[in-house]
Structure formats: C-alpha cells, structure tokens
Amino acid sequence: MENTKTEHWNRPQRSETENKKIVAGIFAILLGYLGIHKFYLGYTKEGIIQILLTCLCGVGALIGIIEGIIYLTKTDEDFYQTYQVGTKPWF
C-alpha cells in the first residue's frame, strides 16, 4: 500500500518561482534599460521594445526600475501567477 501522507517539511517547494522573482527584480533594477528582465521572463518582444525606448528617449531605464520594485514587493505566489502563468508583460 502506498503512503500518500506527507509532512509539511517534505513537500516540494517552488524555489524556481522564488528565484525567478528575485533574479528578475534585480535584473530589472540594475539592467532594466536593456530589458534583460523581460528576456529572462520570456518576453522577447517586450524586451526589444524596452531597448528601443531606452535608445530613443531614455524612458526604458525608468520602466525597469519601477518594474524591479514591483517584482520584489509582490509575494512569490502573486509574482508567479501574474508574470509566469498569466504572462503579464508590463507593470
């Protein structure tokens, strides 16, 4: 007979989602003007748009800082549902 009961310490954690949140937030704050956080999350088109915004008027850097702060202040689950499952590309 298979034992289906697991203790709380033995449940698999979604460390990948936490790591994506933290890394994406740091990328956004430090390299947001290059759209690196967009590419990291799989938003290639939005990453290219962010590079163009930086080159044309410099506003891409400001967007990166704002998004980095938003990423890091969300809960892990909220970040995962919004940006990885729901694929929300901007703010």
Side-chain angles (χ1 to χ4, degrees):
M1 186 181 293
E2 186 176 322
N3 184 4
T4 58
K5 182 178 177 183
T6 60
E7 285 81 20
H8 70 282
W9 58 269
N10 199 18
R11 290 187 197 134
Q13 299 293 319
R14 278 196 267 196
S15 62
E16 179 183 338
T17 60
E18 181 180 345
N19 288 341
K20 270 204 171 183
K21 174 188 138 178
I22 293 170
V23 172
I26 292 171
F27 278 165
I29 291 172
L30 298 178
L31 302 170
Y33 65 97
L34 295 173
I36 300 299
H37 61 294
K38 298 289 188 187
F39 292 111
Y40 181 71
L41 291 172
Y43 303 126
T44 305
K45 179 177 68 171
E46 289 79 6
I48 293 170
I49 291 170
Q50 189 140 2
I51 291 172
L52 291 174
L53 286 173
T54 299
C55 292
L56 296 177
C57 61
V59 80
L62 181 62
I63 292 171
I65 292 171
I66 292 169
E67 285 185 327
I69 292 168
I70 291 171
Y71 291 173
L72 293 174
T73 57
K74 285 189 175 288
T75 65
D76 293 342
E77 185 63 29
D78 193 25
F79 177 85
Y80 179 76
Q81 291 298 324
T82 304
Y83 298 105
Q84 292 178 261
V85 173
T87 62
K88 179 181 177 186
W90 298 101
F91 297 103

